[in-house]
Every structure is written in structure tokens, then in C-alpha cells.
Amino acid sequence: MIKKYNALLIFGIIETILLLITFYFTSKDNALSFSVLTALFLIVAPVVYYFLSRKEKTELTFWFVFYLAFKITPFIFPMEGNFFKVIFDWKIYFNIAFLLFLIWTAIQFILNLKKNIKLTNNESQDDYDVITHSLQKSIKFKKLGQIITFEICSLYYCFIKWTNNKTPENQFTGYKNSGVSAIYIGLMLASIAEAATMHMLLISHSKKGAILFLVLHIYLLLNLTGQLKAIIFRRHSILSEKIIIRYGLFNSLEIPIDSIENISRFEGDYEKNGNLAKLALLGKLEPHNVSIEVKDNIEVHLPFGIIKKPKLILFYIDDVDTFVFNVKSR
């Protein structure tokens, strides 16, 4: 894990050294020195990061690192007499260009979504998969794409998705008998009560703090609502050669049937470890009744970019006996 971020670590060390030189060893009247240090901080260090990270699959791209350095530079280095002053005098146009890039990315996403929306009739994909694949084509930055995908899917299920797709016989729900709806609704009500109480306490001391706290609670409510509705509308599928496990705003998990060592009904307690992943955002607060053990570790993508490689997977199925029987029969 540390080796993966060697390039970022070296970049951070270089930038820190340049900051120390700027603050402690450079005269405030020496415009040439500040211009050189600005060039090293703004251009040379990000370029070094680019060449060091080309072969590494890091989440921080060169453009993100460069944009971060670009935003920080004018707050650190004096611009009076600085060769780079002209660039930061025009930085509003760079920000406009970045905004246009985001708009163009959004247009690409909409066009890709229109092309892929027909795939919702495909048993191997649902609305979440269509949105995810469209975003992956529009956003080339993996980590940023994962964050945006989670947020957009959360808003989609929260506000837009209100009706079920056609449910074939080989698809199974995982919410009707689990009590997960009551758990999430209880959390939402508790969050509302807490938000109202804290808002009343904070409003008299800090209006900005009260507003920030309120915004965070609204964001939490939207995500909990999107997660619950995604649990309700997404279905697990058994296909000819694989099963697809869909849970809330988690990425779809495809498990080849020939890679399954054992599948059984399981409702007991479990101990957390690296070889186990439970498809439940709230962990042990949510029930489970199916365990799948695979022959080799399988990659599971959880929300917020978390990746696990377990051999045992736990989740909930309403018609658990039929589900287990159908998988075993294949």
C-alpha cells in the first residue's frame, strides 16, 4: 500500500522542502528567487510526480495534483515581481475552462447514458449499472469517478427512481423480510431529531456552524434514503454461468458459478476479518442469511472506494431456500 503512493510521498516531500526554503531562507525582496521557487513548486514537482506515477495505478492523477498546486501557489509565494504573476492574474479563465470541462463531461455522460439505457432490459444490468458504466466512459479519473458515481446514484434512487423494473423468475429481492427498511427509517428519524436539537443549540452561538451542521444532516438523509431505495429496487440475479449480487449503492458483484466452493443458509454471528465481506452498509445492524464461499479471493467494491478481497461473502435474500437451491442446481 505504501509503495503504491511512493510518488505522492516524494511529491509531498519536494513541496515541503520548497515551502521551508521560501519561508526561512529566501529574502522577501528577491523576486527572482521567488519566481524560481514558484516554477519548482507549480511545474517541476507535479511533473516529477507524473513521471514517477506513470506505471502505478494511483487514484490521484497528474491533473489533480497540478490543479492542487495551482490553487495553493498564490497563497504561498509573493506575486509582486514574480514571473508567474500574469498566470494568476488570469486564473479566473482557468477556472472557467475547468468549469467548461465539467460541463462537457456532463454532456458526455448524458449521451453515454442514452446509449446504454436500452441495456436495462438486459438481466445482467440494472439502472445502477447503466449509470455506472456511462460515468466510467465520461470520467477517466478512477477515484473521482467512484465518488461521483456514488453521489449521482444516491440522488437518482432518492428522487428519480420510483417504480420497479420487470422482475423475472431468476431475480430475488433482499429487503421484504429483513427489517432493513425499519432500521433505515429509524436512523433517519433519529437523525432528524438530532439535527433539530443541535440546530437549536448552535443557532444562538454560531449561525454558520448551525447551517453547516444542517447541510451535513440533509446530505446524510439523502444518502440514507438513496441507499434504502436502492436496496428495494435492485435485485439479485441467477444467470446461466454466474450470479449477480446487488445491494444498495454497492457495486454489483458478479460471481461465476464454477468459482463457488460452497453456498448455504447462514444466520449466525461472525467475526470480522480480511477474508470476509458482508454486503451491508450498517454492518451487524443489518441481517444476513446467505453465505457464499469462493475458491479464490474475489474483489468486492464497497462504497467510498473501499476494496476488499474476501473468500466468504454474507448477504440477505428474502426467498433464501429457493435462491440457494437454484444456485446449487447449476
Side-chain angles (χ1 to χ4, degrees):
M1 179 61 73
I2 296 177
K3 185 178 179 180
K4 181 180 178 181
Y5 294 101
N6 276 345
L8 184 61
L9 180 62
I10 293 172
F11 168 78
I13 291 172
I14 293 173
E15 298 290 61
T16 302
I17 292 173
L18 292 173
L19 290 177
L20 292 174
I21 294 173
T22 301
F23 291 142
Y24 296 105
F25 301 103
T26 305
S27 172
K28 294 182 179 180
D29 299 324
N30 194 334
L32 178 61
S33 297
F34 278 117
S35 296
V36 172
L37 289 169
T38 302
L40 293 172
F41 188 91
L42 178 63
I43 299 174
V44 176
V47 169
V48 170
Y49 174 82
Y50 169 75
F51 283 107
L52 291 176
S53 64
R54 280 189 304 172
K55 296 181 180 180
E56 298 176 5
K57 295 182 178 180
T58 58
E59 287 80 3
L60 294 177
T61 67
F62 164 74
W63 291 110
F64 176 82
V65 169
F66 175 76
Y67 187 71
L68 182 64
F70 176 79
K71 297 296 287 186
I72 294 174
T73 298
F75 298 101
I76 297 175
F77 298 94
M79 290 292 112
E80 190 66 33
N82 195 314
F83 176 77
F84 291 90
K85 181 178 184 298
V86 64
I87 295 178
F88 294 100
D89 286 341
W90 293 79
K91 67 179 180 180
I92 184 173
Y93 298 105
F94 288 100
N95 290 327
I96 291 172
F98 182 69
L99 179 61
L100 291 175
F101 167 75
L102 293 179
I103 293 173
W104 172 243
T105 300
I107 293 172
Q108 282 187 306
F109 165 67
I110 293 171
L111 293 175
N112 287 328
L113 184 60
K114 286 184 176 180
K115 290 180 182 179
N116 294 333
I117 199 67
K118 297 178 182 179
L119 295 175
T120 52
N121 294 324
N122 189 330
E123 291 184 4
S124 64
Q125 289 191 317
D126 64 353
D127 295 12
Y128 178 94
D129 297 318
V130 172
I131 295 173
T132 300
H133 293 162
S134 298
L135 280 171
Q136 286 174 348
K137 292 181 179 179
S138 303
I139 302 173
K140 304 303 180 183
F141 307 148
K142 183 178 178 181
K143 190 68 174 181
L144 178 62
Q146 290 175 341
I147 295 172
I148 294 176
T149 297
F150 180 84
E151 300 300 337
I152 288 181
C153 288
S154 178
L155 294 175
Y156 171 79
Y157 280 99
C158 185
F159 294 109
I160 299 175
K161 182 69 173 176
W162 292 99
T163 57
N164 277 316
N165 296 338
K166 184 179 179 181
T167 306
E169 293 182 357
N170 67 328
Q171 292 191 354
F172 297 80
T173 59
Y175 71 94
K176 295 179 180 179
N177 305 319
S178 66
V180 68
S181 299
I183 294 172
Y184 274 87
I185 292 172
L187 282 175
M188 292 177 202
L189 293 175
S191 178
I192 292 172
E194 180 190 15
T197 304
M198 291 300 296
H199 187 76
M200 294 299 293
L201 292 173
L202 287 173
I203 195 74
S204 59
H205 295 87
S206 173
K207 290 184 178 180
K208 291 183 179 179
I211 293 172
L212 177 62
F213 192 77
L214 183 62
V215 169
L216 290 175
H217 266 82
I218 292 173
Y219 173 78
L220 175 63
L221 284 173
L222 292 178
N223 275 279
L224 287 175
T225 304
Q227 169 70 5
L228 175 59
K229 289 184 67 180
I231 292 173
I232 293 172
F233 288 122
R234 303 191 72 198
R235 304 285 192 266
H236 312 292
S237 299
I238 302 177
L239 305 182
S240 58
E241 297 180 350
K242 63 183 178 182
I243 63 173
I244 303 176
I245 309 301
R246 302 184 179 101
Y247 167 81
L249 299 174
F250 285 41
N251 283 4
S252 298
L253 175 61
E254 297 187 3
I255 306 177
I257 291 179
D258 59 6
S259 71
I260 297 176
E261 182 73 28
N262 182 49
I263 178 171
S264 62
R265 182 170 188 148
F266 176 74
E267 298 181 7
D269 197 7
Y270 62 92
E271 293 184 3
K272 293 182 180 180
N273 59 73
N275 281 322
L276 183 146
K278 180 178 177 179
L279 302 187
L281 184 64
L282 303 178
K284 291 191 175 184
L285 287 178
E286 297 183 36
H288 57 272
N289 60 3
V290 178
S291 72
I292 292 181
E293 184 180 356
V294 292
K295 297 175 182 177
D296 299 307
N297 295 68
I298 189 169
E299 193 170 272
V300 179
H301 292 262
L302 306 177
F304 314 114
I306 300 173
I307 299 176
K308 295 190 71 174
K309 292 185 177 181
K311 292 192 69 173
L312 184 65
I313 301 151
L314 303 178
F315 56 98
Y316 190 91
I317 295 285
D318 288 322
D319 191 359
V320 56
D321 294 326
T322 303
F323 180 84
V324 172
F325 175 79
N326 287 351
V327 174
K328 286 184 174 181
S329 66
R330 293 178 187 273

